[in-house]
Every structure is written in structure tokens, then in C-alpha cells.
Amino acid sequence: MRRGFFGRGSGVFHVKHLFAVGLALVLLAGCAPQGEPLERTFFAMDTVMSVKLYADGDEALLDAAEDRVRELEALWSVTDENSEIYALNRDGAVSGLSPETADLLDTALGLCQRTGGALDISTYPLLRCWGFTTGEYSVPDEETIAALLPLADYTQVRQEGTYASLAEGMELDLGSVAKGCTGWWLAHLLRENGVTSALLDLGGNIQTVGAKPDGSPWRVAVRDPAGDGALGVVEVVDKAVITSGGYERYFEEDGVRYWHILDPETGRPAHSGLVSVTVVGDTSAAWGDAGAVCDGLSTALFVMGREEAVGFWRGHREEWGFELILVEEDGSVTVTAGLEEHFTLSQTNRALTVVHP
């Protein structure tokens, strides 16, 4: 098997899901691209997805794109009894994983390691006890969290090629990397079929193929975590634009908001001072890991907080080719140097800091 990207061996509840009206990222109208696109919208991976492409052809290419998403969902779903991840969680070990699952798991474990555990794909039992996987939301007591914390330890996951095993009681969830990887697979499919201009929106996880048909960049609006409007606009070509934010999925109890992004060290929602992290990365490379890395980093850096996230960017920007948009609790915005000429705030009275290597 190919080595991975990293080269490693009862209160009042309110929930916001990532549906079309609540996307973390939305496409701005801007200048209308030339020609009528082929477009498909469907529900998969627990969110609304859309594929828009500009090419000569028919619905068969859209059918192939949707079919590919459903194939990957069938492999990686944590709730589908026929999926490979469900089997791994149920049995504790599996052999004969598909290449797609083996590669994604390898990449995810590498990302867990490289982020020092800020991303941990083994927090599924904790997510379930908070109700984020069942919809039965509640704040678990300290004893419950303490009992489950030892199960959140990615270092106890073993993988050798297409074989994987877990320590007793552990369960994995690849949701933090799956949509990013899926976006790459779709973009790769379209490129192989001659498409040079496309926009993929996988529940707010945006990936673009090339530029717009007129040659101008795609203009993607990053959602303001404090409301339903746009924080700003980023212009991209052949990039992924992926956001993790506390507004995506949460509940409230006794006036306190609890969101689904957990700190693996505490088993509680991460409070690092950040409310939104957007990763902009190049996904035109010839492997699927790149999209997964951007997806996973958006979660890991949210857990880290601003200073550590900026330090991580400085240490890995040349290796992985990604840029950041960070929003703090006080509303201040930080962007990394590579976006200075490509990101524009929607509100001019907002504090914006550009950090350099």
C-alpha cells in the first residue's frame, strides 16, 4: 500500500446542523461564469452537498460524482453496520481494508501524531456521551468523562497496511477528515474526465477545480462565527477552503453553549480562544491525503488556539502549503501571509492581523 501523506509507517437545547442555510462557507455571486453549469445537489455524509461543473457533457458525470461520494460514505460511516469503520469499532480488528480506508486511516493517524494529539480520531465514545452522535444532548458528569478519557488515545490504534486494530473499548470516527478526502476524490474524478472548472461544496467544505470559466478566481465567503453574514471573502484557484467553528453544531444548557469540537485532553468542548479556523490549501496534488489534511487541520488548530496554531503554520507551511484564517472570541481576525492579497474582510471596522513566517 502507498505510504501516507506524512510518510509514517435537561436544560434548553439548541442545535445548529450544517445544512444549506447554515454552511460554514458559501459561494459568493461575483461575476457570473460563462456558460450554464451542470449542477447536482444531494444529501450525503449527514449534510447537503452540491457539485457544480463547467464542461461539455451530460448528467452521467454528475451521476459518477454522486456515486463516488456514496461509495466513500459506505466505507467510512460510523453508523452504517456494513461500513469498514463500523466493523472495526464493533470487532476491534479488521483485515482487508479497502485502499481508500487504509490510506485515509494512515493519513489521519499521521495527522494526530503531527498535531500532538490536538486531532484525535478516537474520541467517538466521548462525542456519543455528549449526544453529538445521537441527538440526545446532555452534559456528562465528571465520572463519565473520566471513565471515557482513556479510550481517547490514537496511539493505541494499530495499522499495518490493510489491517487495523483498536484497544478494548475504543471506537474511531473519521468524520474530521472524511469530507476533505472525499472532496479530493471528486476533484480528481472531474479532472480525469477533462473538467477544468468546478466548485464542490460538501456541506461547507469547499474545494475548487481550476478557476472560473472566465479565468478569474473563485470567490468564497467565510462565514462570520458571530452571525449569519460573511466574515470576508477569499479568492482561490485549485484550492480547498475548509472551516471548523463552534457555531456548526452545538447545544445550550443553563445558558452555556457546548459545541462538538472536543479537546481530547479534557473530553470537553475545546475552549482555546478561537471560534473559527479556516484552512486554505492546495488539493491539486495527485493523492487524496491533501484534502484530508486541510480538513483535519481545521479541527486540530481550533483545539490548539491562536498562538499555537500560528506556530504550527510557521513550522509546516512550506511542507504542506496551507494558509489560515483565525477568528477569536473577541472578533479579531488573523490571516497568514499567503492570504494577505487574497482575503478581504467584509467589515472594515474589524481588527485584522497578518502574521508572517
Side-chain angles (χ1 to χ4, degrees), residues 25-26 199-202 204-208 220 239-242:
L25 301 159
V26 294
L199 177 84
L200 311 173
D201 183 345
L202 310 188
N205 181 320
I206 305 294
Q207 296 199 33
T208 63
V220 178
K239 301 287 186 183
V241 185
I242 300 175

Side-chain angles (χ1 to χ4, degrees), residues 80-353:
D80 183 346
E81 295 183 1
N82 296 311
S83 81
E84 294 182 339
I85 296 304
Y86 188 96
L88 177 59
N89 289 342
R90 180 192 62 216
D91 301 335
V94 293
S95 58
L97 291 172
S98 64
E100 293 91 341
T101 301
D103 276 357
L104 182 57
L105 180 57
D106 183 62
T107 296
L109 289 172
L111 189 54
C112 291
Q113 180 182 19
R114 297 289 289 275
T115 61
L119 179 72
D120 194 319
I121 59 174
S122 63
T123 58
Y124 186 66
L126 284 162
L127 285 166
R128 185 170 53 222
C129 86
W130 283 89
F132 289 115
T133 65
T134 64
E136 299 176 0
Y137 305 97
S138 66
V139 179
D141 56 39
E142 293 294 340
E143 292 77 11
T144 299
I145 292 177
L148 293 175
L149 265 177
L151 301 178
D153 183 1
Y154 72 91
T155 66
Q156 299 303 306
V157 182
R158 300 287 180 261
Q159 182 187 11
E160 296 181 9
T162 60
Y163 172 83
S165 65
L166 311 175
E168 185 175 356
M170 289 185 67
E171 294 178 279
L172 302 186
D173 181 3
L174 297 181
S176 58
V177 292
K179 286 202 290 289
C181 190
T182 299
W184 179 89
W185 278 110
L186 290 188
H188 183 63
L189 171 69
L190 297 180
R191 289 186 181 102
E192 283 192 323
N193 282 274
V195 176
T196 58
S197 180
L199 177 84
L200 311 173
D201 183 345
L202 310 188
N205 181 320
I206 305 294
Q207 296 199 33
T208 63
V209 174
K212 292 194 290 186
D214 63 4
S216 63
W218 297 100
R219 301 179 70 243
V220 178
V222 180
R223 179 175 167 177
D224 185 349
D228 293 330
L231 172 77
V233 180
V234 61
E235 296 185 335
V236 294
V237 175
D238 265 332
K239 301 287 186 183
V241 185
I242 300 175
T243 296
S244 287
Y247 58 83
E248 292 176 329
R249 197 184 331 153
Y250 66 85
F251 70 91
E252 292 181 355
E253 183 174 336
D254 297 331
V256 179
R257 179 176 293 188
Y258 301 93
W259 49 59
H260 74 291
I261 303 175
L262 301 185
D263 184 337
E265 289 191 355
T266 66
R268 292 181 165 276
H271 285 280
S272 65
L274 292 174
V275 292
S276 175
V277 173
T278 298
V279 177
V280 180
D282 182 3
T283 60
S284 61
W287 56 81
D289 306 22
V293 169
C294 292
D295 203 356
L297 281 180
S298 69
T299 298
L301 301 183
F302 185 99
V303 172
M304 290 183 187
R306 181 188 183 278
E307 295 307 315
E308 194 173 347
V310 169
F312 189 93
W313 169 76
R314 286 177 171 143
H316 297 85
R317 61 181 296 271
E318 292 187 1
E319 178 184 4
W320 295 341
F322 68 97
E323 303 292 339
L324 302 176
I325 303 168
L326 309 174
V327 186
E328 298 180 69
E329 291 177 351
D330 64 3
S332 59
V333 181
T334 297
V335 301
T336 53
L339 293 180
E340 186 173 8
E341 302 299 323
H342 304 284
F343 177 75
T344 305
L345 274 175
S346 297
Q347 302 168 11
T348 56
N349 62 340
R350 215 156 176 164
L352 175 65
T353 301

